[in-house]
């Protein structure tokens, strides 16, 4: 039995073409991009070419793009960097209720340690936020709004242009965490109307530990780190040149394959959802078929624990996630599903199946064949499932 990996929203294997692009910068061209000699210049050229390439893909100027260690760092930069810059003038922040922990936790830190006022922008039962709700929360004291582009647990895509329009021509900055959107759907900072944007490589067949942060020109945030003039002092530290070259290659490939990947994954996910909901009673799709990055399918199996289903599937060689990978181990239902108002008995039985470029219909047919047995066995033992 070949193992089946359906946890691509947690991380992905690195595309061999990306590995190949990186190797020269781990070996012969290993120089430090700050060095003035030949080795340094080679690294610097690769660094700036990559910046230009990525800027072209997200439609910004290369000078607006900063390399970071990934989504978590970029998200922290958005929240903490904005807060540090504006704390004496404005200390109100609005973050989406279904954000990643990399946004929620720095916001909680600001609330508890620095007296910031944090409001959560609600999501509806589909996981989407409304401009009307944002309008009622915005004040003259708001320095930042952060709403993710595509949700890591449900795949639901927020209408970022409609939300960011409300902070246009105000002093409030708008950030989006585009980690789960980049490479899957078009991400264009101008069309999105955002001031700040986070992205990472490892969710889309790139290496772990490399990401980028877009800061619209004219905006000055405080850095998280001090200690060098790299990245115009906004992100000091010797640049991860091989990782950056890998990130650029990752995005180039994703851009080329976007339409093909999208169509394939949309069809597979629709097939999977219809089969599982037909074969097993009391299964609910969290989120909707529309407005979703199609690789993400979040299903709730009523009356049992997602964690138990995950372990049952693992024994059958199928890797999935319950809730978000970052919260597994905790038995509380995911904050994302709670924010969507989903009943606890339903939300605690949630499983995220996240497909990828290598997923086949045969893989899904195997999962469809073993899932009823796993679910039925757990339901027979469940004190809260009565059907
Ligand atoms: C994975 C993820 C992050 C964190 O990115 P890392 O590169 O792993 O630090 C942030 N936001 C979302 C939506 C994610 O899915």
């Amino acid at each position: 039995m070949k193992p089946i990996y359906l946890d691509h929203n947690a991380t992905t294997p690195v595309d061999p073409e990306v590995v190949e692009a990186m190797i020269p910068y781990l070996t012969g061209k290993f120089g430090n991009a700050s060095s003035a000699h030949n080795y340094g210049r080679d690294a610097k050229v690769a660094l700036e070419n990559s910046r230009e390439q990525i800027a072209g893909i997200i439609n910004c100027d290369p000078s607006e793009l900063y390399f970071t260690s990934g989504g978590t760092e970029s998200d922290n930069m958005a929240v903490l960097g904005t807060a540090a810059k504006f704390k004496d003038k404005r200390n109100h922040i609005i973050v989406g209720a279904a954000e990643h922990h990399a946004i929620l936790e720095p916001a909680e830190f600001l609330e508890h340690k620095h007296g910031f006022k944090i409001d959560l922008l609600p999501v509806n039962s589909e996981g989407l936020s409304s401009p009307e709700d944002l309008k009622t929360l915005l004040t003259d004291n708001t320095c930042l709004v952060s709403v993710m582009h595509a949700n890591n647990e449900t795949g639901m895509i927020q209408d970022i242009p409609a939300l960011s329009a409300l902070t246009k021509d105000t002093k409030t900055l708008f950030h989006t965490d585009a980690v789960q959107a980049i490479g899957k759907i078009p991400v264009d900072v101008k069309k999105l109307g955002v001031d700040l944007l986070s992205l990472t490589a490892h969710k889309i067949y790139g290496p772990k530990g490399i990401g980028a942060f877009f800061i619209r020109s004219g905006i000055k945030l405080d850095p998280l780190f001090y200690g060098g003039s790299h990245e115009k002092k906004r992100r000091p530290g010797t640049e991860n040149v091989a990782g950056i070259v890998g990130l650029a290659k990752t995005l180039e490939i994703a851009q080329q394959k976007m339409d093909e990947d999208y169509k394939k994954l949309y069809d597979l996910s629709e097939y999977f959802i219809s089969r599982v909901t037909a074969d097993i009673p009391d299964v609910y799709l969290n989120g909707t078929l529309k407005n979703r990055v199609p690789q993400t399918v979040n299903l709730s199996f009523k009356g049992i624990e997602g964690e138990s289903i995950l372990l049952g599937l693992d024994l059958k060689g199928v890797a999935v996630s319950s809730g978000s990978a970052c919260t597994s181990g905790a038995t509380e239902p995911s904050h994302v599903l709670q924010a969507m108002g989903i009943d606890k008995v339903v939300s605690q039985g949630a499983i995220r199946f996240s497909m990828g470029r290598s997923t086949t219909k045969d893989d899904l047919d195997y999962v469809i064949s073993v899932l009823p047995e796993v679910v039925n066995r757990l339901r027979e033992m469940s004190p809260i499932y009565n059907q």
Side-chain angles (χ1 to χ4, degrees), residues 9-10 69-73 75 99-103 148 150-152 177-180 198-203 208-211 326 352:
N9 283 18
S69 65
T72 302
E73 185 186 329
D75 283 353
E99 293 306 293
H100 192 272
H101 289 287
I103 289 291
M148 73 207 308
N151 187 275
N152 49 304
D177 172 342
V179 165
Q180 294 287 353
S198 305
L199 61 90
T200 196
H202 79 97
K203 307 282 174 73
K208 293 169 185 59
I210 186 69
C326 316
R352 179 184 72 185

Side-chain angles (χ1 to χ4, degrees), residues 88-101:
D88 301 324
K89 297 183 208 113
R90 297 194 297 278
N91 69 350
H92 176 230
I93 292 180
I94 302 168
V95 299
E99 293 306 293
H100 192 272
H101 289 287

Side-chain angles (χ1 to χ4, degrees), residues 100-137:
H100 192 272
H101 289 287
I103 289 291
L104 293 175
E105 289 184 21
E108 280 163 23
F109 164 78
L110 290 173
E111 183 171 43
H112 296 139
K113 303 278 183 181
H114 294 280
F116 270 72
K117 184 172 179 317
I118 307 295
D119 273 313
L120 294 180
L121 177 65
V123 293
N124 65 13
S125 59
E126 298 183 353
L128 302 176
S129 301
S130 77
E132 291 70 35
D133 284 337
L134 179 55
K135 208 175 208 165
T136 60
L137 291 175

Side-chain angles (χ1 to χ4, degrees), residues 315-334:
L315 288 175
K316 308 269 184 199
V318 180
V320 297
S321 156
S322 68
S324 130
C326 316
T327 51
S328 64
T331 50
E332 268 295 290
S334 110

